[in-house]
Amino acid sequence: MAQNTGGGKRIRISFQQAIGLILPYIKSRVMEQVRSVWLIILYLVLFQILVLGIPILDASIITFGMAMVIIGLTFFMEGLLLGLMPLGELIGIKLPQRAGLAVILAFSLILGFGVTFAEPAIGALKILGSAVKAWDAPLLFLLLNSHANYLVFAVGAGVGVAVVFGMLRFLYNWSLKPFLYIMVPLLTVLSIWAAFDPNLLYLTGLAWDCGAVTTGPVTVPLVLALGIGITRIVGSSDTGGASGFGVVTLASLFPILTVLLLGVFFLKSVPQPMEETRFLSPDNRDTALALFESDDELLRYAFVHGSREGITSYFDSDASRRAFVAEMAGNGSERSRIFGPEETRFMSWVARNGAVEEKISLFGSVKAAREYLNAPDKPALIDAAALFLRNFQTAAQAIIPLTLFMLLVFFLILREKLPRTDEIAFGIIVAVIGMGLFNIGMETGLSKIGDQVGGKLPSSFTTLPLNEKRETIRNFTPDVVEKAVSGDGGIETFFYRKNGRQVETIPYNEKNYDDMTATYTYIPQVGPLFGGERSFWGIFVVLLFGFLMGYGATLAEPALNALGLKVEELTVGTFKKSFLMQAVAVGVGVGIAFGVAKIIWDIPLIWLLAPPYLTLMVVTKLSSEEYVNIGWDSAGVTTGPVTVPLVLAMGLGISTRIGAVEGFGILAMASAYPVLSVLLTGLYAARKRKKVISDTEGSDAATQEAVEVTP
Amino acid sequence: MKRTICAKITCEVYQEISKTVAATLAGMGIPRPYVQSGRSIMIGEKRGLFFRGGQTLVDDMIDIYRFTVPLEQELPVMDRLIHAAMLDQEGRGSIYSEHIELLHDEGRSAEEEPAVTPGDPARHSMIQHLTGISTIVQRGQGDVIVRAALEMGICVPSVTYGIGAGLRDKLGLIRITIPAEKEIVNIITTHHDAQGALVRLIEAGKLDQPGKGFIFTYPVARGLLNTRLYVGRHLSAASIGQIVAALDELKGSTGWRRKFTGTSDHTRSKKRKYLRDLTDVTVLCPEGRATDLAKVAMDAGASGATVSRLRQAPPPATPQGKLSPAREKLTMILPSSLAEPVAGALTNAGLFDEKTNGEIFIRPCPEAYTYTGGK
């Protein structure tokens, strides 16, 4: 038999020869990743230093993190190309040959459902949702907190159904276009309808973002490879060279639908958005408790997120609140039972907002309360072991169960021998290592600087306190405070401080003066850097920042790189990877700029989503099937592990500063525009091609001839 | 195993015309051609903002149809295709035929043989005595060869992708450090220009240096080639390509546009050591088998092979799951003396059994060149 002949003589090579092969190989792979991430790294660093004029905190840790990002991406991409993608493609090729329709569909459903649990993308949305207040958007709050499991299930079901439809498409050679014509208008109408209910309105952002986020760096290459394999067997030749795409698109659209439906399902059980005081008041207790597991949790939430009035309203009266605080002061075990790890948040709430008696009852004296607040934050030491363990656990969780499942299917259902076992095994191991290192790098490097820049970004158009530069001036007396007339005729107070040989002016705010300790807490401020409060140029800089960040981060996305490689290979180099990435990156940049605008001006998401999607319906109609598949898929792919944390940091920074209810929707915007940019460039290229063919006056006559010949 | 001499026809067309070709072939009783995706390249105008008037390469996807017909059907079939796909118009595609030896399963049923319906008398004249030149280089290096071919004004090159099999597969896991992806550039030129073109391509691709690539020629019986080398504005009533095509048709040959007068002898004085008297053995087999078969061939003496992916509709009678439309092509250039032993070894390895349903194309390869080491 052919299987066991040949290849017996393995060539041994010396250590030196091996090094001679390995070093250039490593160098070329690392350089490839350096080329893809240098832009976003340099951009963030320069933006913070030169534009915002703020030095980078923890620069050495961040540098370490960025090195980890590059090494991690190198490993991960190699693992994808050697292990995960060949495995996916093998299964794709064998599945239609060895298994019936039912098995294929069951496999797809499990795969789609499984990947949602494996990839912790939803965690990112929860972070963004942490700023959502229960009383502002009850439904959103419910789905992000106590009902988060349902949310994951809904998304998983959406992805599962999407993969099933994706496979059916391949098996029966259906076009992607009808799916788009049905799904997109349906989702648009549903979102517009949802805009009339205050609860659902806030949910639409989350729903569209879920669609964008679910398709992560492991799912996409795997599903893509699977599709490519299947279409090699069942595809017809007239779908063009680049068939096998389209599943990612469906996997970004269906979860939007399932999440919106989930919202409608729970709509009845949540209260309408209302004032904080009304929400927390005892009259509203039953309704409010629908959002929380227990009364204690509501109480805890009130102390962590509520204002003084809100908490007073919870206790109905100032007196009963004081009684509660006094009880907590006396009973340490009860306190830790209710507040648990958030005990410090309770303490600092009392120290900051509590009445004098409350402070005394809890801390002994007002001075002690002050000191509790002013105690410098303990420098958060990075626990290296825990960091490694946690990130490698996430990586293993994302990759190993999935590959085990696929291997099981391969051996048990398809009953095939795995070719190049060593390569595939090596690839999977390298992918896990790569993803672990990459996660560490993101956490300690890119996300960190993203947080810093994102947090400070609003200083471009508004004033921003620099809390980390807070200093306490001792022996302060209000006698030194001076008055000055400001430009618009108001009176402002300030005082002089001698700092070495220089004298500087510091604005005075009575709130920051503590007469008991005779200290003044000075929090320096920056901004607005460009013109006045909310000036055109200030906001312009923020939008420009969003564009460039989206552009740079997209180029570093591993899943998009994998997609680009596959597209280039399937089109035999006609559709270059770099070309696709540029088109997508510009689209993402534009989308993110619009997303930022949404937050700054609080535009309902649907007004920003409907126009591009409606345009897309027309452009999709005009484009060839091939471009439609590639274009829509690249949109689903774009929002990956590099873009999402950076966008979230920026979104969170701006929305907390501006006081927006929720900062969702940027990711959804970042998915809409790349489709447009890819399809438009595709149309441009096709127009040139068509011209050459029509120059020869061929198409019509040739088709006629074909018809004539066929019978 | 059955041996026949037959005509292998290759038809390369832009994807927009692909359906026409498929329908025409099916109408003629050739329902199962091998189809491969490729890329064709033209020179285009670069309309840069700062650098006006430059040249750039314009890529387009093509479908390459390959099928064999009995020798007597060669002309009518080609004629019919040219007419249907209007290949006599420049800028639509190329068609050419080679006379090869086909080895296939003896038990292949009669209804699987293409039952070609006789065509009309020939309407289109084709150029005869052509030479094909194939260059196999590392993935990403193809454009160097393509540019050189276009600048010589020979024809529109077509590029396909392949994967190298050979020494690399015997190295163990460290093989992953050696890139196996290849790019195969194929051009068809007139017989008298072949030698000059060969030299030019060797120089362009620096093929006389180790690890750069492999180039070989093969005889082409006749063909009609796409001469639209340039895409852009036309300022005259006919493009130069149209004029060339018209003159070719009038003269019935391309001798009038010989390019390398005398140059070939001059360059030969460099004493490049060409490999001669070789045979191209091309094996067609189902997806996943090519690597195994390459090992078999290498044990029988072959030194390396290139694997490409193709599609071929399975015969309608085959039960679902028996034969897959995903096929692979394994190309090996061997010393002619090795062709028989390799074919024999492949037969023993089960190439012609029912499950594999393989085929072997054997064609001569008069000249080849690669770095062979030493001075």
Side-chain angles (χ1 to χ4, degrees):
Chain A
M1 279 308 291
Q3 259 76 5
N4 48 30
T5 41
K9 296 162 286 180
R10 212 174 112 178
I11 299 174
R12 295 234 139 257
I13 56 170
S14 72
F15 179 71
Q16 261 177 327
Q17 281 172 316
I19 293 294
L21 284 172
I22 291 171
L23 284 183
Y25 162 77
I26 292 179
K27 190 185 159 206
S28 76
R29 301 299 143 108
V30 172
M31 283 317 289
E32 216 167 276
Q33 295 312 319
V34 169
R35 273 196 294 277
S36 69
V37 296
W38 71 269
L39 185 68
I40 183 69
I41 290 182
L42 194 72
Y43 174 62
L44 287 177
V45 170
L46 289 184
F47 192 86
Q48 171 147 10
I49 295 176
L50 297 182
V51 181
L52 299 180
I54 302 164
I56 293 170
L57 294 175
D58 300 332
S60 58
I61 295 175
I62 288 177
T63 314
F64 163 80
M66 288 180 176
M68 283 295 118
V69 166
I70 291 172
I71 297 171
L73 276 178
T74 310
F75 273 90
F76 182 66
M77 281 305 290
E78 202 60 13
L80 277 187
L81 298 177
L82 282 177
L84 294 177
M85 294 181 80
L87 184 63
E89 203 170 329
L90 270 173
I91 292 185
I93 288 174
K94 298 297 176 196
L95 208 54
Q97 289 176 283
R98 292 287 155 84
L101 185 64
V103 174
I104 297 180
L105 297 188
F107 168 78
S108 312
L109 192 66
I110 297 174
L111 183 74
F113 204 71
V115 291
T116 314
F117 286 89
E119 293 207 71
I122 311 240
L125 291 179
K126 282 191 186 167
I127 297 172
L128 191 52
S130 61
V132 173
K133 299 281 192 291
W135 40 87
D136 283 336
L139 183 62
L140 189 56
F141 179 82
L142 180 78
L143 293 184
L144 283 169
N145 293 284
S146 61
H147 283 36
N149 283 340
Y150 293 98
L151 182 67
V152 178
F153 271 102
V155 173
V159 176
V161 171
V163 178
V164 166
F165 273 110
M167 294 303 144
L168 281 173
R169 260 193 69 219
F170 294 143
L171 293 173
Y172 295 105
N173 231 328
W174 295 337
S175 161
L176 182 64
K177 291 182 182 183
F179 285 91
L180 298 173
Y181 298 149
I182 295 172
M183 285 302 285
V184 174
L186 177 70
L187 292 174
T188 314
V189 169
L190 208 57
S191 301
I192 292 175
W193 172 75
F196 291 102
D197 182 285
N199 252 321
L200 285 176
L201 170 66
Y202 292 126
L203 187 69
T204 46
L206 173 74
W208 286 82
D209 275 2
C210 274
V213 161
T214 44
T215 44
V218 180
T219 317
V220 169
L222 214 54
V223 166
L224 213 60
L226 191 71
I228 289 168
I230 287 190
T231 44
R232 286 207 62 206
I233 301 299
V234 298
S236 78
S237 57
D238 54 83
T239 42
S243 42
F245 299 97
V247 186
V248 178
T249 307
L250 299 179
S252 350
L253 290 177
F254 278 90
I256 307 178
L257 185 67
T258 49
V259 171
L260 282 176
L261 291 179
L262 183 77
V264 173
F265 182 76
F266 281 115
L267 185 60
K268 288 276 174 290
S269 59
V270 297
Q272 290 291 309
M274 58 180 84
E275 293 287 301
E276 182 190 345
T277 43
R278 224 191 104 206
F279 180 83
L280 289 173
S281 71
D283 308 339
N284 193 45
R285 193 57 40 87
D286 288 342
T287 337
L289 277 176
L291 304 183
F292 295 91
E293 308 259 323
S294 64
D295 199 12
D296 284 348
E297 201 192 315
L298 174 62
L299 179 65
R300 191 156 59 220
Y301 184 80
F303 269 104
V304 174
H305 296 280
S307 65
R308 185 172 182 161
E309 293 75 33
I311 291 170
T312 310
S313 138
Y314 177 91
F315 290 101
D316 210 15
S317 71
D318 217 28
S320 55
R321 190 197 74 212
R322 288 178 194 201
F324 173 77
V325 172
E327 189 201 329
M328 286 296 108
N331 190 343
S333 62
E334 182 70 4
R335 190 170 69 206
S336 55
R337 186 186 67 80
I338 294 180
F339 290 99
E342 283 177 342
E343 193 178 347
T344 51
R345 312 273 297 260
F346 170 71
M347 309 269 279
S348 41
W349 186 88
V350 175
R352 190 175 291 117
N353 302 318
V356 178
E357 298 89 272
E358 286 175 297
K359 289 180 187 170
I360 292 171
S361 70
L362 195 62
F363 294 98
S365 70
V366 174
K367 198 176 169 190
R370 246 329 122 86
E371 274 161 7
Y372 180 85
L373 262 192
N374 286 348
D377 294 339
K378 280 186 214 111
L381 268 182
I382 294 174
D383 182 353
L387 183 78
F388 270 76
L389 197 67
R390 178 160 37 85
N391 283 307
F392 274 98
Q393 211 171 353
T394 325
Q397 192 197 333
I399 296 171
I400 290 179
L402 212 56
T403 40
L404 278 184
F405 169 64
M406 299 196 73
L407 286 173
L408 272 182
V409 169
F410 195 75
F411 288 122
L412 295 184
I413 295 178
L414 305 180
R415 292 167 197 275
E416 279 284 330
K417 254 181 65 182
L418 196 63
R420 297 187 303 278
T421 319
D422 52 348
E423 249 178 63
I424 291 180
F426 177 76
I428 292 169
I429 294 169
V430 164
V432 175
I433 296 176
M435 197 167 193
L437 293 178
F438 171 77
N439 287 344
I440 293 172
M442 281 309 291
E443 194 178 323
T444 57
L446 219 45
S447 285
K448 212 168 185 146
I449 194 167
D451 285 346
Q452 290 186 21
V453 178
K456 298 298 174 317
L457 189 62
S459 69
S460 156
F461 61 88
T462 185
T463 36
L464 199 66
L466 291 173
N467 276 319
E468 70 274 11
K469 285 194 176 171
R470 184 174 67 185
E471 52 185 309
T472 310
I473 300 169
R474 298 193 176 282
N475 294 327
F476 187 83
T477 157
D479 295 348
V480 300
V481 174
E482 308 275 339
K483 280 181 185 157
V485 180
S486 70
D488 50 6
I491 301 290
E492 284 181 13
T493 49
F494 71 97
F495 60 90
Y496 291 111
R497 179 170 73 155
K498 195 140 189 265
N499 195 0
R501 295 180 66 181
Q502 281 174 333
V503 174
E504 58 188 1
T505 55
I506 292 175
Y508 176 72
N509 186 341
E510 209 176 337
K511 229 174 65 190
N512 293 339
Y513 171 61
D514 181 10
D515 55 350
M516 298 207 45
T517 51
T519 51
Y520 182 78
T521 312
Y522 167 50
I523 302 170
Q525 294 183 325
V526 283
L529 295 173
F530 303 93
E533 191 77 10
R534 288 206 171 209
S535 69
F536 169 77
W537 286 110
I539 290 177
F540 178 78
V541 166
V542 174
L543 297 183
L544 189 70
F545 171 83
F547 172 81
L548 285 172
M549 194 191 73
Y551 177 83
T554 305
L555 294 182
E557 280 298 338
L560 186 63
N561 270 288
L563 178 92
L565 279 175
K566 276 290 156 197
V567 169
E568 181 167 330
E569 193 180 315
L570 288 174
T571 61
V572 200
T574 312
F575 210 132
K576 296 268 187 309
K577 179 186 137 194
S578 55
F579 174 79
L580 179 73
M581 305 232 1
Q582 290 296 329
V584 172
V586 169
V588 173
V590 171
I592 288 182
F594 273 111
V596 173
K598 178 235 165 205
I599 297 183
I600 293 180
W601 286 296
D602 196 20
I603 308 167
L605 181 65
I606 194 65
W607 298 127
L608 288 174
L609 275 181
Y613 273 111
L614 289 179
T615 319
L616 268 176
M617 288 296 98
V618 179
V619 179
T620 300
K621 180 95 189 77
L622 297 175
S623 299
S624 69
E625 180 72 23
E626 195 182 341
Y627 269 94
V628 168
N629 276 280
I630 297 175
W632 280 85
D633 262 18
S634 47
V637 169
T638 45
T639 41
V642 183
T643 322
V644 171
L646 293 179
V647 166
L648 292 188
M650 182 181 69
L652 207 58
I654 298 174
S655 60
T656 44
R657 198 60 228 146
I658 295 222
V661 171
E662 39 98 31
F664 289 111
I666 307 187
L667 291 173
M669 302 300 295
S671 297
Y673 286 88
V675 193
L676 208 53
S677 57
V678 172
L679 289 188
L680 287 178
T681 43
L683 276 184
Y684 176 72
R687 197 181 58 102
K688 279 208 297 199
R689 178 80 282 258
K690 277 219 179 79
K691 198 181 165 323
V692 174
I693 294 288
S694 64
D695 271 359
T696 56
E697 287 255 306
S699 309
D700 287 348
T703 335
Q704 246 174 5
E705 175 76 13
V707 173
E708 193 180 299
V709 159
T710 324
Chain B
M1 185 169 69
K2 213 165 103 185
R3 286 166 181 267
T4 37
I5 303 285
C6 59
K8 178 184 147 212
I9 298 176
T10 306
C11 183
E12 310 174 350
V13 288
Y14 290 110
Q15 277 192 336
E16 285 83 349
I17 313 170
S18 189
K19 269 186 190 171
T20 312
V21 172
T24 313
L25 287 177
M28 285 190 292
I30 308 167
R32 303 181 51 222
Y34 288 97
V35 189
Q36 188 176 10
S37 295
R39 162 166 61 106
S40 110
I41 302 100
M42 284 180 281
I43 297 177
E45 265 177 282
K46 197 184 228 167
R47 287 201 211 137
L49 210 56
F50 301 108
F51 306 99
R52 285 195 158 270
Q55 283 185 341
T56 175
L57 298 183
V58 180
D59 298 318
D60 281 299
M61 276 200 80
I62 51 171
D63 278 337
I64 304 171
Y65 288 83
R66 292 192 190 90
F67 53 93
T68 51
V69 292
L71 281 180
E72 63 274 14
Q73 290 295 340
E74 176 189 357
L75 277 175
V77 166
M78 289 176 84
D79 198 68
R80 189 92 171 248
L81 264 180
I82 292 171
H83 187 71
M86 300 180 69
L87 296 177
D88 51 338
Q89 303 276 336
E90 61 153 359
R92 295 176 67 82
S94 297
I95 186 168
Y96 57 87
S97 72
E98 301 156 64
H99 294 171
I100 57 140
E101 199 179 343
L102 170 68
L103 278 65
H104 61 83
D105 178 20
E106 209 159 341
R108 188 190 271 192
S109 53
E111 61 262 39
E112 271 186 56
E113 293 290 335
V116 181
T117 47
D120 306 324
R123 288 168 291 192
H124 303 279
S125 61
M126 281 178 276
I127 305 166
Q128 306 209 352
H129 306 301
L130 296 165
T131 297
I133 305 179
S134 250
T135 317
I136 304 169
V137 290
Q138 294 278 348
R139 185 90 42 103
Q141 300 301 307
D143 277 358
V144 179
I145 306 288
V146 164
R147 199 175 273 275
L150 281 171
E151 280 167 1
M152 280 186 281
I154 292 173
C155 75
V156 176
S158 64
V159 177
T160 50
Y161 278 176
I163 291 180
L167 185 69
R168 186 180 180 271
D169 292 313
K170 293 190 173 180
L171 282 179
L173 191 55
I174 204 165
R175 67 178 177 275
I176 61 166
T177 59
I178 305 170
E181 287 85 9
K182 307 281 185 217
E183 212 166 337
I184 302 144
V185 184
N186 203 34
I187 62 169
I188 310 287
T189 177
T190 55
H191 189 59
H192 41 256
D193 282 341
Q195 190 59 44
L198 186 68
V199 171
R200 197 69 84 70
L201 293 185
I202 290 173
E203 280 164 4
K206 298 196 176 75
L207 300 181
D208 47 3
Q209 291 172 15
K212 286 292 185 184
F214 188 86
I215 190 166
F216 65 94
T217 63
Y218 52 92
V220 172
R222 56 175 55 80
L224 193 56
L225 306 176
N226 180 12
T227 47
R228 181 157 191 147
L229 305 173
Y230 178 81
V231 55
R233 284 167 299 175
H234 287 313
L235 297 174
S236 48
S239 77
I240 191 74
Q242 284 167 328
I243 296 168
V244 168
L247 280 176
D248 279 352
E249 194 166 349
L250 281 175
K251 296 228 176 200
S253 84
T254 52
W256 65 275
R257 53 180 171 108
R258 176 188 282 263
K259 281 177 200 288
F260 299 96
T261 38
T263 52
S264 52
D265 285 334
H266 167 68
T267 27
R268 298 300 294 274
S269 66
K270 270 188 169 173
K271 285 200 192 130
R272 212 165 251 141
K273 222 174 86 193
Y274 289 92
L275 309 163
R276 290 184 196 284
D277 192 26
L278 299 175
T279 301
D280 172 355
V281 175
T282 296
V283 181
L284 294 143
C285 63
E287 159 83 39
R289 290 298 307 280
T291 334
D292 293 332
L293 293 172
K295 278 179 189 158
V296 173
M298 265 177 283
D299 287 345
S303 56
T306 312
V307 181
S308 307
R309 291 174 156 189
L310 314 169
R311 289 181 53 82
Q312 184 194 32
T318 340
Q320 174 77 32
K322 204 89 187 278
L323 275 182
S324 98
R327 307 279 286 180
E328 281 176 341
K329 182 178 85 163
L330 183 68
T331 307
M332 294 170 283
I333 311 294
L334 311 167
S336 293
S337 56
L338 275 176
E340 283 306 313
V342 167
L346 289 170
T347 315
N348 291 336
L351 179 62
F352 299 114
D353 64 22
E354 209 178 306
K355 217 179 106 199
T356 312
N357 196 21
E359 284 177 297
I360 299 182
F361 294 162
I362 293 180
R363 62 183 181 185
C365 168
E367 227 168 1
Y369 184 77
T370 186
Y371 171 79
T372 40
K375 281 273 151 81

